[in-house]
Amino acid sequence: AKNNGKNQFSYFTRLMDERAHQRLRLINELRMALELGQLSVAYQPVVELATRRIIKAEALLRWNHPYFGNVEPAYFVPLAEEAGLITEIGDWIFREAAASAKRWSGALGTAFQIGINKSPIQFLSKEQDTWVEYLREVDLPAQNITVEITEGLLLHASSEVCERLLEYRDAGIQVALDDFGVGYSSMSYLKKFDIDYLKIDQSFVQDMEDDENSRTIAESIIVMAHRLGLKVIAEGVETLRQREILNEAGCDYGQGYLFSKPLAAPEFERRFIRNEKP
Ligand code: C2E
Ligand code: CA
Ligand code: CA
Ligand code: CA
């Protein structure tokens, strides 16, 4: 019993060391992951609620690690940010998504729009933003791309952030505000910046069936957004009832497991571009 404290302590230190060690190991492996082809893109459909039409998707990063299997982006994106790898990875997924948007627009004969998450770290970096230029190079209309950003970026918006957002607007790239409602939710920047879409955070959607307040908040966000000329996308739609509530509230789009999990490009294409049954 006398040694217990010490043993406990060394146990925890060892655990911490292992964690730190594992983090470092993953950072090093993440450096190689792109070259080794371990990163991929999963596409999740964004459904127009009134018509059920699908002409949008969100591109989500996937890392298939040889030993750990699928590593969650919630875990490895922060590692990539910390290790200074997020711009390289962000540019890569952007190019992949642009290629998909081009292919799917061609197949459908209408503009297919893909949302890409842009890390605030990449957004704020001093490096030249090449996205607009790249779209010109590959001859993809900018309307096919939506950049998803979070509120935190706008809260501390520097002149560089404002300029970059203006550059996007002038080029025709659309901007979506992700996870809306859980952060600072200052309404003032909705008019200050040219935002095209609000994405209602999935926590409101998940609670709206049972919790009156969540439902009221979601409905109010929709009314406010429409008044300001923005479209609304609800995230994390899992049930028919949620879809119904959102549709009745006038929500424009829904995204969630009810419609589909994020899928690899060939699977997405089969189901939602060529409309083959699963
Ligand atoms: P996010 O941008 O809010 O992405 C939506 C997340 O919700 C995705 O998780 C998606 O798989 C998940 N989701 C979709 N439908 C449902 C549903 O019905 N129920 C539930 N419970 N979840 C649903 P994922 O793919 O694990 O990504 C997590 C986060 O990682 C993203 O949140 C985003 O912040 C970040 N992330 C993912 N890909 C990228 C990327 O390419 N670049 C950057 N910078 N961040 C990324
Ligand atoms: Ca997002
Ligand atoms: Ca716009
Ligand atoms: Ca989100």
Side-chain angles (χ1 to χ4, degrees):
K2 207 179 165 196
N3 279 332
N4 242 356
K6 197 178 165 201
N7 284 343
Q8 283 284 38
F9 179 72
S10 53
Y11 172 72
F12 283 122
T13 341
R14 211 166 56 234
L15 204 70
M16 298 288 282
D17 280 350
E18 271 167 30
R19 290 233 170 104
H21 181 77
Q22 199 193 11
R23 267 169 48 86
L24 278 180
R25 178 180 159 186
L26 278 174
I27 285 178
N28 281 325
E29 290 174 336
L30 194 49
R31 272 183 227 289
M32 305 295 297
L34 248 186
E35 276 172 59
L36 295 174
Q38 293 169 1
L39 296 187
S40 63
V41 190
Y43 297 90
Q44 188 176 36
V46 173
V47 182
E48 191 172 51
L49 291 175
T51 62
R52 311 277 169 93
R53 206 158 70 122
I54 297 171
I55 48 161
K56 288 182 197 294
E58 177 174 8
L60 295 155
L61 264 173
R62 293 292 177 261
W63 182 12
N64 191 351
H65 187 280
Y67 310 116
F68 300 124
N70 283 320
V71 184
E72 297 263 308
Y75 183 69
F76 77 81
V77 166
L79 290 185
E81 291 175 336
E82 214 181 296
L85 298 167
I86 196 64
T87 296
E88 193 186 341
I89 293 175
D91 287 350
W92 175 79
I93 190 172
F94 167 72
R95 286 163 188 234
E96 287 285 313
S100 297
K102 186 162 188 177
R103 204 166 58 246
W104 297 341
S105 296
L108 291 173
T110 185
F112 193 92
Q113 201 173 44
I114 299 187
I116 300 146
N117 296 284
K118 189 156 199 176
S119 155
I121 307 284
Q122 174 166 19
F123 214 101
L124 292 167
S125 88
K126 294 277 176 279
E127 282 171 68
Q128 182 73 31
D129 186 310
T130 55
W131 289 18
V132 171
E133 190 190 306
Y134 183 76
L135 292 177
R136 244 177 253 131
E137 257 169 53
V138 298
D139 195 26
L140 179 71
Q143 299 78 253
N144 293 49
I145 298 295
T146 302
V147 173
E148 302 196 1
I149 58 173
T150 46
E151 296 174 83
L153 184 71
L154 302 182
L155 192 70
H156 307 289
S158 57
S159 54
E160 281 93 352
V161 172
C162 298
E163 265 168 43
R164 202 160 283 183
L165 284 170
L166 282 175
E167 189 197 348
Y168 284 170
R169 188 189 64 186
D170 293 345
I173 292 181
Q174 304 209 289
V175 177
L177 205 46
D178 213 343
D179 308 332
F180 192 78
V182 284
Y184 315 91
S185 298
S186 156
M187 308 299 162
S188 62
Y189 49 57
L190 292 182
K191 258 300 140 186
K192 187 163 161 214
F193 301 99
D194 186 60
I195 310 289
D196 300 286
Y197 299 92
L198 285 192
K199 297 192 80 169
I200 300 182
D201 190 73
Q202 50 189 51
S203 58
F204 297 110
V205 176
Q206 258 132 43
D207 293 344
M208 66 175 23
E209 281 176 74
D210 308 312
D211 175 27
E212 191 69 28
N213 288 340
S214 290
R215 184 172 168 166
T216 304
I217 291 170
E219 288 168 348
S220 309
I221 290 175
I222 294 164
V223 169
M224 176 197 67
H226 284 165
R227 286 235 177 139
L228 293 170
L230 309 171
K231 300 270 189 209
V232 183
I233 301 169
E235 301 191 303
V237 183
E238 292 181 357
T239 70
L240 289 167
R241 181 73 190 125
Q242 290 163 358
R243 183 183 72 187
E244 193 177 53
I245 294 172
L246 288 161
N247 194 30
E248 278 168 11
C251 185
D252 304 281
Y253 301 93
Q255 179 182 350
Y257 298 157
L258 173 67
F259 308 109
S260 171
K261 285 185 310 189
L263 301 170
E267 174 83 31
F268 185 94
E269 196 165 315
R270 208 156 36 237
R271 283 189 52 190
F272 300 112
I273 307 299
R274 299 205 304 269
N275 285 313
E276 292 169 16
K277 295 286 165 263

